Amino acid sequence: MYLLTGVLQLSLLFSFVVDVTSSQCRCLYGQPCWPSQSEFSSLQNQLSQPLIHPVPPASPCYPLSHPSGNCTDAQTNQFDGNWRSNQSGSMQSPNFETFIFDNGSISACYMNTTLGVPCGQGSVPNVGIDARSVEDIQAAVKFSVKNNLRLAVKNTGHDYLGRSTARGSFMIWTHHLKNITYNSTFVPEGAPPTELYKAITLGAGVQWHEAYDAAQAQGRALVGGMSVGGSVGAAGGWVLGGGHSALAPSYGLGVDNVIELKIVTSTGEYLTANSHSHSDLFWALRGGGGGTYGIVTEVTYRTHPSMPLTALYFVANSTNNDTFRTLFTEFVRIHPNLSDSGFSGYAFVSSNGIQIFYIGLNVTQAQANKTIDPFFSFAQNLTSEGLNIATALTVPYPSFYSWYTSTSSIGQQVGSSDELASRLVSRDVIERNHRGIADAVLSLNSSGWLLVAGGAVAQVDPDSTGLNPAWRKALVHVLWGTGWQEGTPFSEIEQLRAVVARSLTRVSELAGSSAYFNEASMFEPNPMNTFFGSHYSKLKAIKNVYDPADLFVVTEGVGSEDWDASLNCRR
């Protein structure tokens, strides 16, 4: 996926090019409208923590301009998602820390100091707050509205579309809102006392490795994300965009498991959203996208009994393209049956190899073998035609937690510059044209094939949440993309983006134009339809009610079409 860079030829700019002539534009750092020191001092008096001044994570490696910090620590941990999430100025994909000017020059701070590029601020906000309470967030939101600031809301920075940072913005960092509470008799606000849930409430800064540990301590299971080290936030953008999971086919997506959310809106109000209180907002928050309606401070999820499972592991490759195409085509063909048999999970596909990590929740090893043995036999018969099988087995586990802890340390997920594209592939499309889908996926050279829909996901009323209704017909989420090394000139980045755009067109011709809001292209031709489908008009109407200041605007989010490409000025 990652391509070699060309020769670095950049001209760095150290001040903003300003073209702001009216209040139709947000106020950015360095502009005359930016709040004075006395105004920031007044804000500081309302906060529980000192104001923060985020810097790019590589900045300690530039002692002349950034004399504090530990360069060795930064370079050692640059691919560690949990280390990155602890840096206020870090994104999980460092390309979103950079800023590309209209003339193609780049402001960045690279880990590779041999490039000889001075450390620039890039897209990292210059000032922000380290939110430790609702009151901190309320004060910062009111300050942002009063001063018409461009606002960036960030938790872990695990964001494939760069929505949690912006050059010249003011940051609200929610990473330290770490409260976790389990309640076996949780009653939503406004609900009758008989409406009880075995529920867990997670603060906005809780990450999945922390949430899973907490649920396991109670002998419960939780529908959540899968990432190396569990660094993804459990109560922020993941769930607000839908929240896919290996457990989703068994229990529904993240949005289907939310009982209640608490949120600070642009008016400074602190609201509880559930089926009984602000039900319209509750509907919109479940799939309408993060960074759009306000700042969620906590989410309460239903939990589930801990169940045993059987994992399926399969790794194979071939230098014979026809042989591998035959294998992968069969793999695609059997997916409706795999789904019906209780399987879900993740596969990673190249043009000549595949790695499969699937699970069958509450499926015995004998049942799993009965389902998958025909595929294993099919693969074995291809070994005479050049297929190399490294792994083909099923393994029982006592719980999802035990499987998760055994696999969450595999691979590297963050720290490299990359951009994604994705599509939801419906069960109907796979049943009608599995060969076409297989060929399209193989043409991508490197992709993720995620069996995270179908089953319980398909059984939910499409209009019960704000989520794109296409999820209810989907079976697989396919994602792919491109990447580059530090210092790659913008002209080469543009060429890589163009390749992804062409591949997106080809896949869309077969699979349709729907995609998962959290893992997708930043350059969708019709993002409102792609991410929200028929729910878009209602989502925007609800946003207008709860965000009258139009403070919360993110790339391709609800209402973003009212702003220019920079999201700084209204159209």
Side-chain angles (χ1 to χ4, degrees):
M1 176 183 290
Y2 301 103
L3 304 181
L4 296 177
T5 64
V7 179
L8 173 66
Q9 292 185 346
L10 306 176
S11 61
L12 290 174
L13 303 181
F14 294 95
S15 61
F16 288 98
V17 177
V18 181
D19 182 19
V20 179
T21 59
S22 75
S23 61
Q24 289 294 100
C25 294
R26 298 295 192 208
C27 181
L28 305 178
Y29 177 82
Q31 295 175 354
C33 57
W34 189 253
S36 66
Q37 185 58 50
S38 64
E39 289 172 304
F40 275 111
S41 296
S42 178
L43 172 62
Q44 178 65 81
N45 291 335
Q46 304 172 58
L47 302 174
S48 65
Q49 303 292 315
L51 288 166
I52 58 174
H53 299 276
V55 293
S59 60
C61 299
Y62 297 79
L64 294 181
S65 57
H66 296 80
S68 64
N70 185 329
C71 179
T72 300
D73 182 59
Q75 292 180 331
T76 300
N77 293 294
Q78 61 180 304
F79 303 113
D80 184 326
N82 285 301
W83 180 86
R84 280 191 167 272
S85 69
N86 287 327
Q87 317 301 314
S88 63
S90 176
M91 296 290 286
Q92 301 285 3
S93 298
N95 49 299
F96 293 115
E97 299 163 7
T98 69
F99 183 81
I100 301 174
F101 294 92
D102 290 341
N103 65 359
S105 60
I106 301 174
S107 173
C109 189
Y110 296 131
M111 287 284 181
N112 183 3
T113 59
T114 64
L115 292 172
V117 178
C119 179
Q121 189 73 9
S123 290
V124 177
N126 298 74
V127 186
I129 74 157
D130 179 2
R132 305 294 178 102
S133 69
V134 171
E135 292 76 18
D136 285 345
I137 294 175
Q138 288 174 312
V141 164
K142 291 176 182 177
F143 181 80
S144 300
V145 171
K146 177 183 178 181
N147 292 284
N148 191 34
L149 303 182
R150 172 73 185 275
L151 182 64
V153 182
K154 177 176 177 285
N155 174 12
T156 66
H158 223 298
D159 182 352
Y160 289 112
L161 290 94
R163 292 168 173 149
S164 53
T165 192
R167 183 169 173 83
S169 66
F170 177 70
M171 173 188 286
I172 296 179
W173 192 31
T174 64
H175 181 60
H176 289 117
L177 295 173
K178 293 286 192 180
N179 57 295
I180 301 177
T181 306
Y182 177 77
N183 186 341
S184 62
T185 57
F186 180 84
V187 179
E189 185 175 310
T194 54
E195 188 178 328
L196 300 173
Y197 298 90
K198 295 182 185 298
I200 192 166
T201 299
L202 308 176
V206 175
Q207 294 164 271
W208 279 118
H209 70 91
E210 298 163 325
Y212 288 144
D213 288 348
Q216 174 66 14
Q218 300 296 331
R220 304 292 290 178
L222 188 61
V223 173
M226 191 81 174
S227 62
V228 177
S231 60
V232 172
W238 176 85
V239 66
L240 300 176
H244 72 62
S245 168
L247 290 180
S250 296
Y251 298 127
L253 295 162
V255 293
D256 303 324
N257 286 272
V258 174
I259 302 168
E260 184 170 280
L261 305 99
K262 294 193 174 180
I263 182 174
V264 175
T265 69
S266 62
T267 63
E269 293 178 281
Y270 186 46
L271 304 178
T272 297
N274 59 37
S275 295
H276 308 276
S277 174
H278 302 290
S279 58
D280 56 342
L281 180 59
F282 184 55
W283 182 88
L285 288 171
R286 291 175 296 154
T292 299
Y293 300 91
I295 300 177
V296 171
T297 64
E298 63 180 48
V299 178
T300 300
Y301 293 100
R302 59 171 48 89
T303 64
H304 303 273
S306 182
M307 298 277 193
L309 61 82
T310 299
L312 158 65
Y313 300 112
F314 182 83
V315 179
N317 65 77
S318 179
T319 56
N320 185 317
N321 290 339
D322 290 338
T323 296
F324 185 72
R325 179 177 290 105
T326 299
L327 176 78
F328 186 66
T329 301
E330 176 66 7
F331 178 64
V332 173
R333 187 192 69 81
I334 66 174
H335 263 71
N337 181 57
L338 289 177
S339 176
D340 293 344
S341 299
F343 279 100
S344 59
Y346 313 95
F348 303 96
V349 187
S350 68
S351 59
N352 63 353
I354 188 169
Q355 300 177 64
I356 303 171
F357 303 86
Y358 277 10
I359 61 172
L361 188 66
N362 206 26
V363 173
T364 67
Q365 189 173 19
Q367 291 170 327
N369 289 338
K370 183 177 180 181
T371 299
I372 202 61
D373 277 350
F375 176 71
F376 282 175
S377 297
F378 185 92
Q380 185 63 40
N381 290 335
L382 290 174
T383 57
S384 61
E385 300 177 31
L387 183 69
N388 303 305
I389 301 175
T391 304
L393 74 162
T394 59
V395 181
Y397 287 86
S399 66
F400 172 80
Y401 182 81
S402 61
W403 175 75
Y404 159 78
T405 53
S406 73
T407 57
S408 64
S409 62
I410 298 173
Q412 172 197 313
Q413 191 170 7
V414 305
S416 299
S417 295
D418 50 29
E419 290 180 4
L420 300 185
S422 73
R423 281 294 179 262
L424 297 175
V425 184
S426 72
R427 179 178 181 132
D428 177 63
V429 166
I430 290 175
E431 290 176 336
R432 285 189 292 104
N433 190 14
H434 66 276
R435 289 184 178 83
I437 291 296
D439 287 344
V441 171
L442 290 179
S443 73
L444 302 173
N445 295 320
S446 180
S447 62
W449 173 274
L450 281 54
L451 179 54
V452 291
V457 176
Q459 295 167 16
V460 176
D461 178 356
D463 295 324
S464 63
T465 71
L467 184 71
N468 187 343
W471 267 105
R472 307 307 176 183
K473 295 182 178 180
L475 193 61
V476 171
H477 163 50
V478 177
L479 67 159
W480 68 98
T482 190
W484 55 89
Q485 292 185 352
E486 290 184 324
T488 299
F490 177 59
S491 59
E492 292 187 23
I493 296 173
E494 288 260 83
Q495 293 172 12
L496 296 173
R497 286 174 172 171
V499 171
V500 174
R502 289 193 293 272
S503 66
L504 186 59
T505 298
R506 291 197 301 272
V507 175
S508 298
E509 289 172 352
L510 294 173
S513 60
S514 296
Y516 176 42
F517 186 67
N518 291 336
E519 295 170 343
S521 169
M522 298 188 298
F523 308 102
E524 288 285 353
N526 186 1
M528 305 313 151
N529 181 67
T530 291
F531 297 126
F532 309 108
S534 60
H535 288 163
Y536 185 73
S537 296
K538 183 177 178 180
L539 288 168
K540 188 170 184 183
I542 295 171
K543 174 178 171 60
N544 292 340
V545 171
Y546 289 97
D547 183 19
D550 214 9
L551 178 65
F552 302 104
V553 183
V554 297
T555 301
E556 297 184 333
V558 173
S560 62
E561 74 276 17
D562 297 333
W563 296 77
D564 66 7
S566 73
L567 299 183
N568 290 327
C569 297
R570 297 181 192 275
R571 293 188 187 277

